[in-house]
Amino acid sequence: QFVQAPIFTAIIFYFFAILEGRGLAAARRQVVAELPQTLVKNWIIFLPATAINLGLVPLEFRVLFINVVFFFWVIILSLLIN
């Protein structure tokens, strides 16, 4: 989470800024302004979810569990970006 989350979250910010026609400069400003708070929210969700997943969820349901968490994270991230 500490390595891949900053990289992929920044990529998502850039992707949406370009897709919405705001350009790279706007994406860069958004990354600088919003990435730290977004990463904290990511870690608040995924660190406990990962601990629960590894400690409590049966092996056959681990992928399903983390994918459900990720599904809701994508919704939250979409709301934060827009």
Side-chain angles (χ1 to χ4, degrees), residues 8-78:
F8 288 112
T9 305
I11 289 171
I12 290 169
F13 281 135
Y14 275 96
F15 175 76
F16 277 104
I18 292 167
L19 192 65
E20 293 170 353
R22 294 184 287 129
L24 292 175
R28 192 172 298 110
R29 285 191 301 273
Q30 185 177 18
V31 167
V32 170
E34 298 179 22
L35 186 62
Q37 300 93 338
T38 304
L39 289 176
V40 169
K41 292 172 185 158
N42 176 291
W43 296 330
I44 287 171
I45 292 170
F46 276 101
L47 293 178
T50 300
I52 291 167
N53 194 30
L54 296 175
L56 301 174
V57 177
L59 186 60
E60 61 270 15
F61 297 118
R62 287 183 181 172
V63 172
L64 176 64
F65 176 81
I66 208 66
N67 281 334
V68 169
V69 172
F70 184 73
F71 173 77
F72 287 105
W73 169 247
V74 169
I75 293 170
I76 293 167
L77 186 58
S78 178

